[in-house]
Amino acid sequence: MKQTVEIDGVTLHLSQPDVTKSDWIGQSEVLSHILACWLTVDDRDLPLTPRLVGTPGIGKTSLAMAAARQRKQDVYIFQCTADTRPEDLLVTPVVGDGSKIMYHASTLVTAMITGGICILDEGNRMNEKSWASLAPLLDHRRYIESIIAGLTIPAHRNFCCAVTMNEDESTFEIPDYILSRLQPTLTLTHPAREDELAILKYHLPFAEDSLLQLTVDFLQQSHALKLDFSTRDGINVLRYAIKRLASEKKHPLGLDQAWRESVLACLGEEAINLNEMAEKKQRYSGGNTLPMGLGDFFFSPNETLHPDAMATDDGDDDDEEYDDDFDDEDDDNRFA
């Protein structure tokens, strides 16, 4: 049964906290930073509202949830979207039995009232109008105004908040007056190899060691090549490969084949050759290419099928004849 609370004669139906288990593995420093943001050192002090920045799937939400668990506070998550309205963020009217209007407090407002922690997930997907409704909450005033319910609701002293933000193009630019309230910025990076392997084992403890090693090798190479594949991608690849191996009992798959099929299905054909994918990305950005590709998982370097074999200089005269056909200016034009 949902909990209710009465404020100035108006009954609010509260949201339920998130009960998902969330442990944080590795990168203990960034965990200590978010805990420091929420610490108050004096009765006149207030918690900060940090923004957690990083690529999708890197663990921003998990970090904030783990920090909240460590503080032993309930966690509430509000998923921000491009069409989020101020009333979605605050108090929403709902038609109940007998056509009676009931007021439902969002996860954010519920956290404010109960002294929990709210994570505004993917905050830079939300429009400015909705952010404007949170301006008094995110500074020293710490309250919200619900026009629909006709209420001003102050935040509990223990209420804390964090905002996660993805680094991609499908987001809004948050105005400066809001960004000045979302400080400091905590940037998450990809985990080190041992940490990433531990994360994979944590989520999929039943995975074979050889599949785990293939996946963590792939992820670590993609991180080194500055590609966008995340630990979440690795978990999905690994999970699907395990399912493929288990489902094909009549026609058993080889482990490498199942893993390769999983990469194709989850991440696309380009992911099969990380080197080529990195070259394309570097070419578009004007940078230099980086070595090493996924082909090394399936072919030895001296095999003719290895993706790098085509680029190997075999010492014959074909290259000289090819080079004679182009002067230096033409070469510049071809690779510009």
Side-chain angles (χ1 to χ4, degrees):
M1 185 175 179
K2 287 189 176 182
Q3 184 181 357
T4 61
V5 64
E6 187 171 312
I7 300 176
D8 293 340
V10 177
T11 299
L12 293 179
H13 295 259
L14 303 182
S15 298
Q16 297 298 311
D18 189 287
V19 295
T20 307
K21 183 181 178 182
S22 182
D23 294 329
W24 183 249
I25 299 172
Q27 298 190 60
S28 58
E29 185 176 357
V30 71
L31 177 61
S32 68
H33 283 309
I34 190 172
L35 289 171
C37 290
W38 291 339
L39 182 68
T40 53
V41 298
D42 188 271
D43 289 341
R44 295 161 294 183
D45 191 22
L46 298 172
L48 294 166
T49 303
R51 56 182 185 264
L52 311 180
V53 179
T55 57
I58 205 170
K60 300 180 294 297
T61 307
S62 296
L63 169 65
M65 292 176 68
R69 305 283 188 223
Q70 190 161 323
R71 286 176 55 94
K72 302 186 185 306
Q73 290 176 256
D74 284 338
V75 183
Y76 298 85
I77 299 176
F78 187 94
Q79 187 66 49
C80 302
T81 62
D83 58 356
T84 296
R85 302 167 301 172
E87 56 265 37
D88 299 326
L89 267 175
L90 306 178
V91 177
T92 305
V94 179
V95 178
D97 295 336
S99 299
K100 183 180 179 180
I101 298 296
M102 300 189 304
Y103 294 102
H104 180 82
S106 69
T107 49
L108 171 65
V109 171
T110 301
M112 288 175 55
I113 293 171
T114 61
I117 290 177
C118 182
I119 303 167
L120 294 173
D121 206 17
E122 302 189 31
N124 51 343
R125 299 193 189 282
M126 195 162 63
N127 58 72
E128 182 179 354
K129 185 176 182 180
S130 294
W131 273 115
S133 68
L134 299 184
L137 174 65
L138 299 174
D139 60 25
H140 64 281
R141 293 171 288 177
R142 284 173 64 86
Y143 67 76
I144 60 97
E145 293 180 314
S146 171
I147 297 174
I148 286 178
L151 291 176
T152 297
I153 303 174
H156 190 287
R157 177 163 182 79
N158 294 334
F159 166 73
C160 298
C161 186
V163 181
T164 71
M165 296 185 182
N166 284 326
E167 295 177 335
D168 60 39
E169 296 177 355
S170 58
T171 56
F172 287 102
E173 184 175 346
I174 297 180
D176 289 342
Y177 75 92
I178 293 297
L179 287 179
S180 67
R181 289 166 164 82
L182 305 178
Q183 294 179 352
T185 299
L186 305 180
T187 302
L188 274 71
T189 58
H190 291 292
R193 180 188 175 82
E194 289 186 5
D195 291 338
E196 195 151 43
L197 182 59
I199 294 169
L200 295 177
K201 288 181 177 180
Y202 173 81
H203 288 280
L204 300 168
F206 45 84
E208 292 185 29
D209 186 66
S210 52
L211 279 176
L212 287 165
Q213 294 298 330
L214 275 173
T215 306
V216 78
D217 285 346
F218 169 81
L219 290 172
Q220 287 295 304
Q221 290 181 33
S222 70
H223 304 337
L225 293 167
K226 301 188 185 304
L227 298 175
D228 296 330
F229 301 128
S230 67
T231 308
R232 182 194 294 162
D233 293 323
I235 291 171
N236 290 333
V237 167
L238 189 54
R239 194 185 299 276
Y240 185 53
I242 293 170
K243 294 178 185 296
R244 286 287 291 134
L245 287 168
S247 65
E248 294 294 332
K249 294 181 179 179
K250 292 185 179 180
H251 306 285
L253 290 173
L255 185 143
D256 285 356
Q257 181 185 353
W259 189 82
R260 189 177 188 276
E261 287 183 3
S262 184
V263 171
L264 279 169
C266 294
L267 305 180
E269 187 174 351
E270 282 191 329
I272 291 298
N273 193 319
L274 292 180
N275 183 55
E276 183 177 313
M277 188 174 183
E279 286 179 352
K280 289 181 179 179
K281 181 176 180 180
Q282 292 290 328
R283 192 180 304 128
Y284 293 144
S285 64
N288 296 321
T289 59
L290 293 170
M292 197 68 179
L294 192 58
D296 297 288
F297 288 130
F298 303 105
F299 307 103
S300 60
N302 58 352
E303 285 189 71
T304 56
L305 293 177
H306 191 285
D308 292 340
M310 298 298 292
T312 303
D313 184 2
D314 57 7
D316 59 26
D317 295 330
D318 291 341
D319 291 341
E320 293 181 6
E321 293 176 2
Y322 179 79
D323 289 341
D324 288 340
D325 292 336
F326 300 90
D327 58 26
D328 291 343
E329 183 177 350
D330 289 334
D331 287 344
D332 292 339
N333 291 333
R334 281 187 294 120
F335 296 102

